């Protein structure tokens, strides 16, 4: 993402979702650029996805915004699983009322791949003054062995985690333990964020990308999906 270019607001012809335009305008207000509305004909899902992917291939296009609501979820997943650029999905339960994006939640699993995917977006959001909250969820197998050795060990782990994930010093780090998908949705609501940014592998087979799927289905705010290994 850069601070110039086009944010596509994608709407089905004859069935526009005003939330899509609202989110696209909030994004351009935060990072610059302009909004272009793309009306997708009410054709079958494959044709809709192809039209959006073709528009995303334009060099001036930064990302696109789609409404992830039934019965359009299948073709939305088709877009995000193939796109080489970030895609924002607006869940059916999301009510983006604000005209600006002031706070963003960045769930990170600690892997270099996920951190690399969101690193440029993190730097951009930080540079334009958006409040960043980095969320890391431990499970029973990932809690550090040093965790019960006092505050110093915790501080050392946090410093190493920030360095590994490229989290800016201005970002607040929130730690949870349990199921990642549940904590992402809860944290988004509790922290009153305007956006969730997730790096993901674009793998949608059964049993994979469970955190991404659950977040898109249940999040109270738009979800920015950034493909690992996607276009800069």
């Amino acid at each position: 993402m850069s601070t110039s270019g086009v944010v596509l607001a994608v709407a089905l012809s004859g069935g526009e979702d005003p939330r899509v335009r609202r989110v696209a305008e909030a994004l351009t207000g935060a990072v610059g650029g302009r909004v272009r509305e793309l009306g997708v004909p009410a054709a079958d899902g494959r044709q809709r996805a192809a039209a959006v992917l073709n528009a995303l291939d334009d060099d001036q296009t930064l990302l696109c915004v789609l409404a992830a609501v039934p019965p359009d979820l299948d073709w939305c997943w088709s877009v995000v699983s193939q796109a080489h650029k970030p895609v924002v999905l607006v869940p059916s339960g999301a009510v983006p009322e604000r005209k600006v994006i002031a706070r963003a939640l960045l769930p990170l699993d600690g892997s270099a791949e996920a951190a690399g995917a969101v690193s440029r977006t993190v730097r951009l959001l930080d540079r334009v003054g958006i409040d960043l909250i980095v969320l890391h969820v431990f499970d029973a197998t990932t809690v550090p062995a040093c965790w019960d050795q006092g505050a110093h060990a915790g501080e050392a782990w946090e410093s190493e985690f920030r360095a590994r994930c490229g989290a800016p010093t201005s970002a607040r780090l929130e730690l949870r333990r349990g199921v990642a998908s549940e904590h992402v949705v809860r944290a988004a609501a509790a922290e009153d964020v305007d956006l969730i940014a997730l790096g993901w592998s674009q793998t949608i087979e059964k049993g994979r990308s469970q955190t991404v799927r659950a977040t898109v289905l249940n999040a109270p705010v738009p979800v920015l999906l950034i493909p690992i290994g996607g276009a800069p």
Side-chain angles (χ1 to χ4, degrees):
M1 292 173 66
S2 66
T3 52
S4 63
V6 173
V7 172
L8 288 179
V10 178
L12 292 178
S13 296
E16 288 80 2
D17 187 332
R19 301 176 308 153
V20 170
R21 176 78 190 197
R22 200 176 306 142
V23 171
E25 289 175 343
L27 285 166
T28 56
V31 302
R34 61 186 176 86
V35 176
R36 172 192 164 199
E37 289 195 5
L38 178 68
V40 180
D44 63 47
R46 191 181 311 171
Q47 291 174 311
R48 293 174 184 172
V52 176
L53 290 168
N54 183 61
L56 271 173
D57 282 340
D58 189 305
D59 290 341
Q60 292 300 309
T61 302
L62 301 175
L63 52 84
C64 76
V65 184
L66 301 172
V69 298
D72 300 319
L73 283 174
D74 286 345
W75 77 268
C76 284
W77 283 118
S78 180
V79 170
V80 296
S81 65
Q82 299 178 69
H84 299 298
K85 295 177 182 177
V87 177
V88 176
L89 296 182
V90 185
S92 58
V95 186
E97 297 178 348
R98 296 176 182 142
K99 295 182 179 180
V100 298
I101 294 175
R103 181 175 296 180
L105 181 70
L106 306 168
L108 291 175
D109 61 9
S111 68
E113 293 81 9
V118 303
S119 61
R120 296 184 74 249
T121 302
V122 168
R123 291 196 299 271
L124 173 60
L125 297 179
D126 183 55
R127 189 168 69 244
V128 299
I130 292 175
D131 185 20
L132 301 178
I133 302 168
V134 174
L135 174 69
H136 180 67
V137 181
F138 296 114
D139 61 29
T141 64
T142 59
V143 175
C146 67
W147 208 246
D148 59 354
Q149 298 177 13
H152 179 72
E155 292 173 358
W157 179 90
E158 178 176 333
S159 177
E160 188 274 335
F161 180 85
R162 285 180 178 275
R164 175 159 38 97
C165 295
T169 56
S170 59
R172 174 157 54 91
L173 178 60
E174 287 292 321
L175 303 176
R176 301 286 188 274
R177 182 170 180 171
V179 180
S181 58
E182 296 176 1
H183 282 293
V184 170
V185 173
R186 291 174 186 167
E191 297 291 347
D192 194 27
V193 301
D194 306 302
L195 183 73
I196 299 171
L198 278 168
W200 78 305
S201 63
Q202 296 182 285
T203 303
I204 59 174
E205 285 80 6
K206 186 176 181 179
R208 301 292 299 275
S209 301
Q210 294 182 12
T211 298
V212 169
R213 283 184 174 276
T215 301
V216 170
L217 289 174
N218 302 303
V221 295
V223 181
L224 171 63
L225 297 180
I226 307 167
I228 292 174

